[in-house]
Amino acid sequence: MHLTYLSPLWWLLSLLVLAGGFWFTLVDRPKRLMTASFLLRCLAVILLVLALCRPGWMKDADDAHVVFLVDVSQSVDPTASRKAVDEVNSAVTSLRSGDSHSVFSFANGVRLRKTEDLAKELDTWSKGIADDQFRSASRLADAVLSTRLAFPAGKSRRLVLLTDGLETDGSIAAAMETLRREDVDVVWQRLDSLSDPEASIVSVEPNTPSAFAGEIVRLNVRLAANRDMQAKVRILSKGVAVAEKPISLSATSPNSIEFDIPMTTPGASLWTAELVPAQDRFPINNQASTTIEVKGKSRLLVIHKSPKEMRGISRALQEQEFDVDVRGENGVPETMDELLSFGAVVLADVPATSLNARQMDLLKRYVQDFGGGLAMLGSENSFGLGGYYKTPVEDVLPLVSRFEKEKEKPSLAMVLVMDKSGSMEGLPIALARQAAKASVELLGPQDQIAVIGFDSEPQIVSDLRRASEKDAIQAAIDTIEAGGGTDMYPAMQQAKQMLDNCAAKVKHMICMTDGQTPDQGFAELTQSLADSGVTVSTVALGDGASADLLQSIAEIGKGRFYAATDPNTVPQIFTRETMQASKSAIKEDVYAPIVTTDHPMLAGYADSLPSALGYVMTEAKPATQTILSADTGDPLLAIGRFGLGQGLSFTSDLTEKWGGEWLAWDGCGKFWAQVLRSILRKNDTEGMEVRSAIDQNRWLIDITRRDPDGMPVGNLQWDALAVDENSREFPVTIEERGLGRYTASLPLEGREKLTLRLRDKDSNKLKVLHYNRPSPPEYRLSRDVPPALAAAPAFAPATVRDGLRPARTRKGLESWCSLLALASALGSVVLRRI
């Protein structure tokens, strides 16, 4: 017999109290009865204390519970999984009457199944109707640890694994050790891998993570196949094949092929290996990528709605060892990796409406978190004129669009006709309110503005009044709520009446809707507006708007038409329209630049700068360095730090329109190369050695920091940030592991790409790393079985119970002790009453 708990034994000391009571009792009863009653009370206490200690004895139990775990992932041939179910049924017939069992299927998760249901599911999958999401991984360790909870108490435990041994997540060795500690016996049977013809790229590895422009880098591409076949391997850069080779793939030996690729593009250069096999089942494993940092010429991205206008300055910068990439207005990169291949970005003549919210946010992070440079040149599509008012891009720039309108400019009367029907509910109506309020802020105090909302009927939100009453106007705009149908015609009629009764020199109307409005004679109404000097611009919000009708209205009304598929662009559209109609943001004349701040970018040129023929009016932010001003006092050239990078603004341009004299100047190329080099992204990594590795779905970073004498540097302050392929950012913790050695660990689950910035804040050393997820492990045709699993005994259905150790079960005596204690207590009472 053994006791489960020992602490209740202290209650046996209460026997001393009973003994004292017996010794000094004054009860006059026969001695024998008193002694017998005392002994029974002592026995009751002893038995009760024993019951609290939970006494019992251990015995062997012959019953067993068997858990069958069947691998149904993509790497296993469906016929092999189906055969495994038949073997499970055969093994179940070998169990004894007191035994029990559970059946689970596993892949990217675990499911409790009946064998007949699992068989039907596998038959369905073999016909081509497969649950690819569930079958996309082999989470072997998680499955083993989850199903062990199915074992009941008091029975021998055996886990039968039927799998190909491929492990995509977790550690089966650690899971097997847990089972061993819990007395779970494990046997396994290896299932056949996929029988359909299949080939995959295992990895693409450069011989160096960084290279100089023009250097030849060798890319080693490792491949695998489950049968001999012919294939082609291509190397892609920016989606274009730059090299291709044939290869004969072997199913029994390692396959690899090498490419010698010249590095032609400075910056972070992405190279992708693509496999084109003769036969294939899964295309998902036919590509793998690597990123190589190419050092060489400074690389510049220039965005202009008419790229040919930038040929002059582009040639001048190329002569100064710049690699210039000039793109159209839709050429802003969509990923941080692509942005980081450039040292700086120049927005020369591109409206904010050509950039989506993601691109603007990427540009801001590129400067703030990765030390990039962002420059904006003046044009009718720049600063506030281009719709950049209160955008992430304006946050970066040193100059903003807030200014006082000149008194000699003609006064403006503008009416905003805004859809507030039910389809505008949520984000669209909120952004429309934001856009209307931004328009109010940009008008001069003598300008006038009205806001009319419409659904089935027009509603005057704010009557025509001076913009100097902006607080009242913006408060009225905040009351706009969505609801009702869509009919824009009556609202335009009311707007026309307001503008007809106004004496302003410039009259403008902006009409926005996201739906289909009845055509009740818009052409005639718009022509009447145009005849009376009113210009009309229109905004079609979303795919459901009357785009053709709105475009026709804008053409007749001599305004502009905007097709806004993204509601987030509405504020930029309204901002741009307001400033275009106001005609107050541009000055055109000959303006000689005046040096206002001594800055290194002016070295050698301060007294010989050419004149500008026009510029966009702006004002400087606090802490901005205004380097050049026009003789009017307005800024021409300014620079300012933003986060780790810098923003630069030149309010004139570098085309023939306003910058003809700059382009004709002999020093043009050298000067602007000097200016732009001051904002280029700089990676100073001297003394910083960084190594990375992938382990258990984590990206492990190891950093060694040394000073110029080669001595390790400790106690450094680090600033690290990671950005994934969806522009989500998250901080990274760097820990010191030894003198001069630092480490970090990043989870990779669910992430296709990561860009990691490492910055030593004490020395301002900066390093950027890139991670590109290879094809999912499930599809890599791996034949390696984890050693911990390979060492497990083999499973055979007829001997599923053989070798099981009997389970030790406990037979408790606490109930008997409790009953005997009660009987003893009652006996003691009876003897005291006789």
Side-chain angles (χ1 to χ4, degrees), residues 729-747:
E729 63 180 37
F730 52 96
V732 177
T733 301
I734 297 181
E735 299 179 349
E736 187 167 7
R737 296 296 187 186
L739 183 58
R741 187 182 173 197
Y742 306 83
T743 61
S745 176
L746 288 75

Side-chain angles (χ1 to χ4, degrees), residues 395-407:
D395 291 343
V396 174
L397 298 175
L399 303 179
V400 294
S401 311
R402 300 171 184 84
F403 56 87
E404 289 297 327
K405 184 174 176 180
E406 293 178 286
K407 294 180 180 179

Side-chain angles (χ1 to χ4, degrees), residues 142-385:
D142 289 347
V144 166
L145 295 175
S146 298
T147 54
R148 83 188 198 278
L149 302 177
F151 290 112
K155 290 187 176 184
S156 299
R157 304 175 178 186
R158 170 157 284 173
L159 177 66
V160 179
L161 275 172
L162 300 110
T163 176
D164 63 347
L166 176 64
E167 180 182 26
T168 61
D169 292 283
S171 171
I172 187 61
M176 296 279 280
E177 177 61 24
T178 300
L179 295 179
R180 186 193 64 78
R181 292 195 302 267
E182 296 179 359
D183 291 325
V184 179
D185 187 71
V186 180
V187 297
W188 86 298
Q189 182 182 93
R190 184 167 185 173
L191 302 184
D192 293 335
S193 298
L194 186 69
S195 61
D196 291 347
E198 176 61 20
S200 72
I201 290 184
V202 177
S203 66
V204 53
E205 300 166 351
N207 65 333
T208 176
S210 61
F212 289 96
E215 182 179 349
I216 303 297
V217 172
R218 177 160 292 179
L219 300 180
N220 181 38
V221 183
R222 295 194 299 120
L223 309 104
N226 63 356
R227 64 180 61 183
D228 295 347
M229 67 174 75
Q230 297 299 312
K232 292 185 292 185
V233 180
R234 299 170 180 158
I235 299 298
L236 309 178
S237 175
K238 301 178 183 177
V240 178
V242 297
E244 179 177 304
K245 288 183 180 180
I247 185 173
S248 297
L249 297 176
S250 170
T252 57
S253 59
N255 300 280
S256 66
I257 189 169
E258 293 179 341
F259 291 84
D260 291 332
I261 305 295
M263 298 292 105
T264 57
T265 306
S269 184
L270 181 68
W271 299 89
T272 301
E274 181 180 64
L275 173 66
V276 185
Q279 304 174 77
D280 202 34
R281 170 72 180 271
F282 301 117
I284 193 174
N285 57 6
N286 290 349
Q287 283 193 344
S289 300
T290 186
T291 300
I292 302 172
E293 285 285 346
V294 182
K295 306 170 185 176
K297 293 181 179 179
S298 301
R299 194 163 182 232
L300 196 66
L301 174 62
V302 179
I303 307 295
H304 195 289
K305 67 177 184 179
S306 301
K308 63 181 181 181
E309 298 287 336
M310 300 302 293
R311 288 175 183 170
I313 188 63
S314 177
R315 282 195 297 265
L317 290 172
Q318 287 169 355
E319 291 173 359
Q320 302 303 317
E321 300 300 312
F322 268 87
D323 183 357
V324 183
D325 185 352
V326 182
R327 301 181 183 179
E329 59 184 329
N330 297 315
V332 177
E334 292 275 1
T335 66
M336 184 61 73
D337 271 358
E338 188 179 358
L339 265 178
L340 289 173
S341 67
F342 298 97
V345 178
V346 179
L347 300 178
D349 185 358
V350 55
T353 51
S354 295
L355 280 67
N356 58 41
R358 173 189 174 91
Q359 290 170 316
M360 287 205 187
D361 188 55
L362 277 174
L363 286 171
K364 181 177 179 178
R365 291 181 180 179
Y366 166 72
V367 178
Q368 181 178 32
D369 298 328
F370 291 89
L374 178 64
M376 180 172 282
L377 307 184
S379 73
E380 291 185 355
N381 293 305
S382 303
F383 304 102
L385 273 176

Side-chain angles (χ1 to χ4, degrees), residues 418 433-434 436-438 440-441 449 451 459-463 465-481:
M418 299 167 47
R433 289 194 294 261
Q434 177 186 334
K437 291 196 290 184
V440 176
E441 290 185 9
I449 186 170
V451 181
Q459 175 195 346
I460 298 178
V461 177
S462 176
D463 210 340
R465 53 177 148 175
R466 291 190 179 276
S468 56
E469 303 177 49
K470 68 177 183 179
D471 291 343
I473 299 171
Q474 290 180 334
I477 291 170
D478 281 331
T479 65
I480 300 175
E481 297 292 341

Side-chain angles (χ1 to χ4, degrees), residues 210 391 451 611 817:
S210 61
T391 64
V451 181
S611 299
C817 289

